[in-house]
């Protein structure tokens, strides 16, 4: 995995049965996201199964250590059907947010760049071309502003985040999940192949929506949330 010896930095991948650091990952996750404890069971299952269990994805679950201490975590996927990444979680312990390495001053920014390197490796291993980018769901204006500093671009689509991915329902419980409804969100992208990415390309935008709502959340194309997003692209394109 990725290491930066001068920082005492290393990434531990916690999938494919590699569970040595699973409890450390979960402890940090709960510190950073205390309202999302219901996903701990999902994280444990992800750690104990092959990363290609849920097509069309290769799953990644990372814990970053600095001098042996849990410093940051991220969960993301490579979608080989759409040739793009999906960033699910990213969090950094307050003690490690500021770094100094090769022009990086933010550990979060470094984690994002390392995710991109992993996506490139995933694509290459499957004989795919350069991924277009890595998608993220963003809600609060504060997070939007910070992610823009890291290179994220907002996609011009209307987007609603479903309560949970379909494969999480059997663990968390459909009744528990359905207590929360669909949440208006922004859909953003960290471009990787900047020459190929085109925010005015309706086919690309449609593919990004489907990568999240259909492939990750398991919604059918006829679902109202999918249709609202796809129709907003059509309206956007007609307005140009």
């Amino acid at each position: 995995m990725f290491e930066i010896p001068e920082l005492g930095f290393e990434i531990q991948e916690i999938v494919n049965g590699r569970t040595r650091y699973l409890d450390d990952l979960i402890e940090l996750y709960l510190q950073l996201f205390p309202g999302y404890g219901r996903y701990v069971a999902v994280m444990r299952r992800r750690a104990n199964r092959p990363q290609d269990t849920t097509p069309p994805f290769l799953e990644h679950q990372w814990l970053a250590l600095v001098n042996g201490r849990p410093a940051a975590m991220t969960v993301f996927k490579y979608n080989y059907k759409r040739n793009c990444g999906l960033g699910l979680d990213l969090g950094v312990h307050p003690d490690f947010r500021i770094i100094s390495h090769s022009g990086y001053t933010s550990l979060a920014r470094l984690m994002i760049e390392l995710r991109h390197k992993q996506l490139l490796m995933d694509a290459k291993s499957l004989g795919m071309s350069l991924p277009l980018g890595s998608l993220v769901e963003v809600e609060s204006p504060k997070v939007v502003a910070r992610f823009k500093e890291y290179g994220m671009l907002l996609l011009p689509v209307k987007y609603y985040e479903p309560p949970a991915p379909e494969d999480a329902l059997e663990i968390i419980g459909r009744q528990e999940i359905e207590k929360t409804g669909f949440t208006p969100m922004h859909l953003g992208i960290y471009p990787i192949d900047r020459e190929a990415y085109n925010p005015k390309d309706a086919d690309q935008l449609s593919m990004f929506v489907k990568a999240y709502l259909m492939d990750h959340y398991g919604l059918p194309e006829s679902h109202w949330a999918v249709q609202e997003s796809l129709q907003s692209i059509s309206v956007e394109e007609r307005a140009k």
Side-chain angles (χ1 to χ4, degrees):
M1 287 305 297
F2 300 104
E3 296 184 358
I4 306 175
E6 58 269 35
L7 293 180
F9 174 92
E10 61 180 307
I11 293 288
Q12 295 293 334
E13 175 82 276
I14 305 173
V15 293
N16 294 328
R18 301 189 188 110
T19 58
R20 176 182 174 186
Y21 292 95
L22 177 57
D23 289 341
D24 295 310
L25 171 69
I26 289 172
E27 182 178 352
L28 179 61
Y29 175 79
L30 292 175
Q31 289 177 17
L32 298 171
F33 307 104
Y36 289 84
R38 63 184 182 273
Y39 284 104
V40 166
V42 178
M43 297 172 72
R44 289 191 181 279
R45 181 178 66 176
R46 185 182 293 122
N48 282 283
R49 69 186 183 185
Q51 67 181 149
D52 60 355
T53 297
T54 57
F57 295 109
L58 296 180
E59 298 181 309
H60 296 282
Q61 196 163 237
W62 285 2
L63 177 67
L65 302 175
V66 175
N67 296 320
R69 292 180 57 194
M73 59 79 58
T74 186
V75 179
F76 63 104
K77 298 179 174 184
Y78 173 59
N79 184 328
Y80 49 81
K81 181 179 180 181
R82 317 284 183 184
N83 196 21
C84 64
L86 274 63
L88 306 183
D89 294 302
L90 173 65
V92 179
H93 191 285
D95 291 349
F96 297 96
R97 286 176 180 162
I98 307 301
I99 63 168
S100 178
H101 174 73
S102 299
Y104 291 101
T105 58
S106 162
L107 182 53
R109 178 66 181 270
L110 176 61
M111 294 289 286
I112 291 168
E113 291 300 320
L114 293 178
R115 289 195 317 199
H116 291 175
K117 288 185 178 181
Q118 182 63 58
L119 293 172
L120 290 170
M121 293 165 60
D122 289 345
K124 185 177 180 180
S125 73
L126 296 174
M128 303 289 289
S129 59
L130 197 65
L132 283 171
S134 181
L135 303 170
V136 288
E137 299 169 315
V138 197
E139 183 176 15
S140 79
K142 182 178 179 180
V143 175
V144 168
R146 184 164 69 249
F147 281 9
K148 282 184 174 180
E149 292 177 1
Y150 301 156
M152 183 199 74
L153 304 174
L154 290 180
L155 297 176
V157 300
K158 182 182 290 186
Y159 185 82
Y160 294 90
E161 180 194 36
E166 184 67 25
D167 69 345
L169 295 180
E170 63 189 74
I171 291 182
I172 302 172
R174 186 175 296 273
Q175 185 174 4
E176 178 66 23
I177 286 296
E178 289 179 349
K179 291 179 182 177
T180 60
F182 283 69
T183 305
M185 286 272 186
H186 296 289
L187 190 60
I189 186 171
Y190 293 98
I192 296 177
D193 187 346
R194 291 183 174 273
E195 292 186 3
Y197 167 67
N198 181 1
K200 297 181 181 180
D201 187 325
D203 290 336
Q204 278 191 22
L205 295 175
S206 297
M207 181 184 71
F208 294 147
V209 166
K210 292 176 181 179
Y212 243 120
L213 293 182
M214 295 174 63
D215 300 340
H216 175 59
Y217 286 107
L219 300 182
E221 188 167 355
S222 59
H223 192 280
W224 69 265
V226 179
Q227 285 301 307
E228 285 241 7
S229 288
L230 296 179
Q231 290 169 15
S232 75
I233 295 169
S234 300
V235 170
E236 182 75 18
E237 290 307 304
R238 284 199 298 269
K240 288 182 171 29

